[in-house]
Structures are given as structure tokens and as C-alpha cells.
Amino acid sequence: MPTTRTTAADDDSAALVARRARDLRNDRVGLLRASGIVASGYAIGAALQTTYIYSRVVTEWDAVSVWSRLGANFAAVVGLVAVLAVVNAHRATRLWHMAVSLLFAATACAVLRVGAQHLLGVYADPSREVVEAELVSGLVIGVISGSIGMWGLVARRRLRAQIRSAEREAVLVENAVRALEQEEIRVRREVAEGLHGTLQNKLVLVEARLDQIVTHAAQGPLDEGDLDDLRWIAGELAQARAADVREMSRLLYPDRLELGLVPAVRALLGRLPASIATRLEVTDAARAYDDPANPRLTVPERLLAVRVVEEGVTNSLKHGPATSIVAQVDVQDGVLVVAVENDGALYDEETAGVASGTARMRQRLTFVGGSVELHPGAGRGARLVARIPLGTNGHKVSPVRP
């Protein structure tokens, strides 16, 4: 089993590394392509414009070939793109890093342009003013072209982040819907088992007793045994109404939940056998959030917190045996903290087996950005602690998983 988990983690890590490498490669290609295209446009336009103007204004320069000017300008374009690639400008994430990369590339662009102009005979012996003008113009062209490429890079990153965020949200929603469906199926199964098992068995026995009484009534007056049977039937029906039907309804909606979290938890603890001591500790911060006059906890948040207490109580009864259970409710920095501690056998993760209920609760809390942890208690028992971020239910899906 551990080998399987390690292999899956390695696969996920390898996929993440491959995706990042692909993103960097695409960013690099996008930056260089955009900068090169814009710079090439400037190169062609500047060559054509200067060739036309100089041939009309400066007669001694009319012999300079347009191809020489194009060659010099495209040498500058190659220099710009090459330096952006060498300095890994596509990896820049901070403004200063982008600015430094652009400055290096634009400077190389300007210097290469002037050098290529000299080699290709655009200027035989240029004056200082001409060299400075060409350097400045080359620098401006390089900065503008590189800036447009960087802008495209940033836009690509933002778009990619938005797409992946939308994909993650879509997966969250899909998983949440599936999880809620599974939770509904689980509750329906428990209700069905309760109705088909305990309640139906009682009704079958009641029906059998009634048949006996009807048979006796047809044969003559009812005797004392028939009256005892009627009393037994009345008791069974009362128990079914008060216990079985009520328990089934609690699976669907906890008692007193509409009054608040504290009343619902108190009602839950009140149903435990008298042999188990229970205590509910609620901080002032939690009471302020659960104030009936101005409730700040939503019904989904209350329901999730009650389910956490139910899980803690169930663990206490199944894996105890516990003689006392303490439930704690607190609010810390906008997070509802619910803890259940018992004094049963000391919890040992290695020997406790698979905690299916806690696993379902962990999945459900993950959807709201929460967490649940099961630890050994202070010397005895176990302590279940859940953290539920407030104000997320109904926004992040309901990011709630069962």
C-alpha cells in the first residue's frame, strides 16, 4: 500500500514538473516571437523610410542600398531576441527583473544595429551625433518591442492562471456534487435499514399480536391475556414513535439545528446514556457567532459542525469504551473549531484500523477549505479536532465533501 501511494505521488510530481517545463517553453516561444515580430516591423519600416528620405534630402547617401539598411536592422532584431533568450527573460516574474532583462536586450539591439550599419556600409564615417541618434533609436525600438513581448508574456500567464483556476473550481464542483450524492445515498441507506430492520420488525410483531386478538375476539370475549397484548402493542407503538421514527428523522436533520449550533450539540449529547458523562464547552467568541438573535453561522456550517460532533461521539462509543465525552466549540480568526475528546482506550493510529467515518468527514471538510485531525488524547482516549472556515459554505461549492 505505501508503495502505491509513493508511486502515485511520484507520478503527480513528474506531471507537475513536465507541465511547468511546458509552460516555460511556451512562455519563451511567445516572448521571443512577439518581440521579434514587433522589432521586425520596426526594422522594415525604418529601413524603407530612411532609404526614401535620405535619397531625397542627402544626395550623397542615395547610393546606400535598402538591403544594407534591412540587414543592419535585422541584425539588431536577432541581437534583441538572442539576448532575451540568453538572460531567460521569460522566467522573469518581478517588474525589476523584466526591466533589467529588457535593458540588456535593448542595449544589445542598439549596439548591434550601429555595428552592422558600419560593416554593411550604411555609414562610412558617421559623426558622433549620427551614432548617438542611431543608438538611441535602436534602444527605443528594442525597449518598445521587448515591452510588447513582455506584456504578451504577462497576459499569457494571467490567462493560463485563470483557465487553470476555472478548471480547479470545475473539478471541485464536480467532486462536491459526487460527494454530496454519496452522502445522500449513505443517509438514505441508513434510513432504509432502520425502517426495514427495527421499525418493520416491530410492526410485524404488532401485526401478529393484533391478529391473535382479532381471532380471540371472534371466538368470544377478550380475556386478560388479550388486554396484556393490547398494552404491549401500545407500548411498542409508543416506543417506535418516540425512538425509532425520531432516530430516523435525526439522520435527516439534527434536533434543534434551527435554533443554533449549541442547542443542536447539546441535544445530541443529551441522547447519550446516563452512564457516560458529557460536557459542552463553548467560548464567548463561538456564542457570539451562534447568537440566536443575530446568528452568523449558516445552516450548512451548523450542520457540518454537528456532523463532526456526531463522528466524535460515534468513535467514542465504538472504540472506547468511554466514560466521559467533552465537546468544545470555539471561533478563532474566522474559523470554527470543533473538538470532541473522550477518555476511552488511548488512540493508536497504527492499530486503530481504517477510520472510514473520519475519512469521509475529512473529504467533506476539504471542500470548504477545512481540516479534521484525530490524535491521541491527554493520556487516554482520542481527540477529534475539525476546523471549518466560516463564510465559505455556499461559495466554494459548498466545497463540502461527505
Side-chain angles (χ1 to χ4, degrees):
M1 243 3 214
T3 303
T4 304
R5 286 197 296 268
T6 303
T7 302
D10 291 342
D11 291 343
D12 292 342
S13 177
L16 182 60
V17 170
R19 187 178 69 179
R20 287 178 177 173
R22 186 171 61 253
D23 290 343
L24 286 174
R25 185 169 59 251
N26 292 337
D27 288 347
R28 185 171 185 265
V29 171
L31 171 63
L32 300 183
R33 180 185 295 161
S35 300
I37 291 174
V38 174
S40 297
Y42 277 117
I44 295 172
L48 295 177
Q49 184 182 33
T50 53
T51 300
Y52 175 80
I53 292 175
Y54 289 158
S55 66
R56 296 293 187 275
V57 178
V58 185
T59 56
E60 60 267 26
W61 286 353
D62 59 357
V64 178
S65 169
V66 66
W67 298 109
S68 297
R69 296 186 184 279
L70 282 174
N73 288 348
F74 273 107
V77 173
V78 172
L80 174 69
V81 173
V83 174
L84 286 175
V86 169
V87 300
N88 289 326
H90 63 285
R91 292 179 176 269
T93 56
R94 297 181 180 276
L95 185 60
W96 67 266
H97 191 179
M98 294 181 181
V100 170
S101 300
L102 284 178
L103 183 60
F104 273 120
T107 302
C109 171
V111 172
L112 281 173
R113 183 167 181 258
V114 171
Q117 286 174 341
H118 182 71
L119 291 175
L120 295 174
V122 175
Y123 298 113
D125 186 20
S127 64
R128 179 179 177 181
E129 289 79 6
V130 170
V131 172
E132 290 178 350
E134 293 291 355
L135 283 175
V136 171
S137 62
L139 186 66
V140 171
I141 291 173
V143 169
I144 293 176
S145 302
S147 297
I148 293 175
M150 281 293 184
W151 175 83
L153 173 65
V154 173
R156 173 191 289 271
R157 287 175 178 170
R158 289 178 177 174
L159 179 60
R160 185 170 60 221
Q162 291 173 356
I163 291 174
R164 287 181 179 167
S165 176
E167 289 174 350
R168 286 193 296 269
E169 289 295 329
V171 171
L172 272 178
V173 171
E174 182 179 356
N175 289 340
V177 170
R178 290 180 180 177
L180 291 174
E181 289 175 350
Q182 292 300 319
E183 177 69 4
E184 182 181 1
I185 291 173
R186 183 187 67 83
V187 172
R188 287 177 180 272
R189 184 183 297 115
E190 290 188 14
V191 173
E193 289 174 355
L195 293 175
H196 186 269
T198 305
L199 187 58
Q200 179 177 261
N201 182 61
K202 288 185 177 181
L203 293 178
V204 167
L205 293 177
V206 167
E207 183 181 6
R209 291 289 184 95
L210 284 174
D211 287 341
Q212 291 180 0
I213 295 172
V214 170
T215 301
H216 290 172
Q219 296 174 352
L222 299 178
D223 55 22
E224 189 62 29
D226 294 329
L227 295 178
D228 290 340
D229 286 342
L230 288 174
R231 296 189 188 96
W232 179 87
I233 290 172
E236 289 295 310
L237 291 176
Q239 184 179 2
R241 174 187 57 79
D244 299 329
V245 175
R246 183 182 295 271
E247 289 300 323
M248 295 303 102
S249 66
R250 282 170 182 159
L251 287 174
L252 302 176
Y253 197 82
D255 278 353
R256 304 182 185 176
L257 187 67
E258 67 281 357
L259 300 179
L261 173 58
V262 174
V265 173
R266 191 169 283 131
L268 172 61
L269 297 178
R271 298 200 303 268
L272 296 178
S275 58
I276 300 178
T278 60
R279 187 169 77 251
L280 175 59
E281 299 177 356
V282 184
T283 64
D284 292 339
R287 292 187 185 280
Y289 269 80
D290 197 43
D291 184 2
N294 183 27
R296 297 161 65 184
L297 295 177
T298 65
V299 173
E301 289 166 348
R302 296 180 204 165
L303 180 59
L304 192 52
V306 172
R307 294 307 184 201
V308 170
V309 177
E310 286 180 341
E311 180 61 27
V313 170
T314 300
N315 288 341
S316 301
L317 298 179
K318 287 174 60 178
H319 307 295
T323 59
S324 70
I325 297 176
V326 179
Q328 299 169 327
V329 181
D330 190 11
V331 174
Q332 302 173 359
D333 298 326
V335 176
L336 179 62
V337 182
V338 181
V340 180
E341 187 170 358
N342 65 73
D343 65 347
L346 184 64
Y347 171 73
D348 186 353
E349 184 177 2
E350 295 183 357
T351 61
V354 179
S356 58
T358 305
R360 286 196 302 269
M361 186 58 61
R362 181 175 291 109
Q363 290 176 339
R364 185 168 183 178
L365 285 170
T366 299
F367 277 104
V368 291
S371 63
V372 63
E373 298 176 352
L374 184 59
H375 301 296
R380 290 183 58 81
R383 179 176 176 83
L384 181 73
V385 181
R387 298 179 180 275
I388 307 170
L390 300 179
T392 57
N393 288 316
H395 293 290
K396 198 184 177 183
V397 125
S398 53
V400 211
R401 270 201 286 202

